[in-house]
Amino acid sequence: MKVLKSNQLLGFFSIMSVVLLVVSFLITSTSYFNTKEINNLTSTCYESHGEVRIDIHNNLTSSYSFECEK
């Protein structure tokens, strides 16, 4: 009985570890690509002599709203 419970706990923790790794990878990659996109949009706006207006909605994922006013 103890061996079965031990195996179940080990399986549960293994699955949870994989889930946490996948979620952290997805959050990190989303943040990275949003940051790259923000940098690209900002530099393009400045090159066309515009004024950047950006609102970061979530610091963890870098979700944002962007405007380039000329």
Side-chain angles (χ1 to χ4, degrees):
M1 191 73 157
K2 279 189 173 187
V3 173
L4 183 60
K5 269 194 169 189
S6 176
N7 285 341
Q8 287 176 340
L9 282 175
L10 183 61
F12 174 76
F13 286 125
S14 297
I15 290 171
M16 290 307 294
S17 297
V18 169
V19 167
L20 286 174
L21 282 173
V22 168
V23 168
S24 66
F25 174 77
L26 290 174
I27 289 172
T28 303
S29 62
T30 301
S31 177
Y32 172 78
F33 286 113
N34 280 349
T35 301
K36 294 289 276 183
E37 187 173 29
I38 289 169
N39 290 338
N40 186 27
L41 289 170
T42 302
S43 63
T44 304
C45 182
Y46 286 141
E47 287 173 3
S48 65
H49 306 289
E51 183 180 328
V52 173
R53 290 192 175 217
I54 188 165
D55 292 322
I56 305 284
H57 302 291
N58 185 340
N59 288 330
L60 182 62
T61 61
S62 297
S63 61
Y64 64 93
S65 298
F66 181 86
E67 265 186 74
C68 181
E69 295 180 353
K70 296 181 180 180

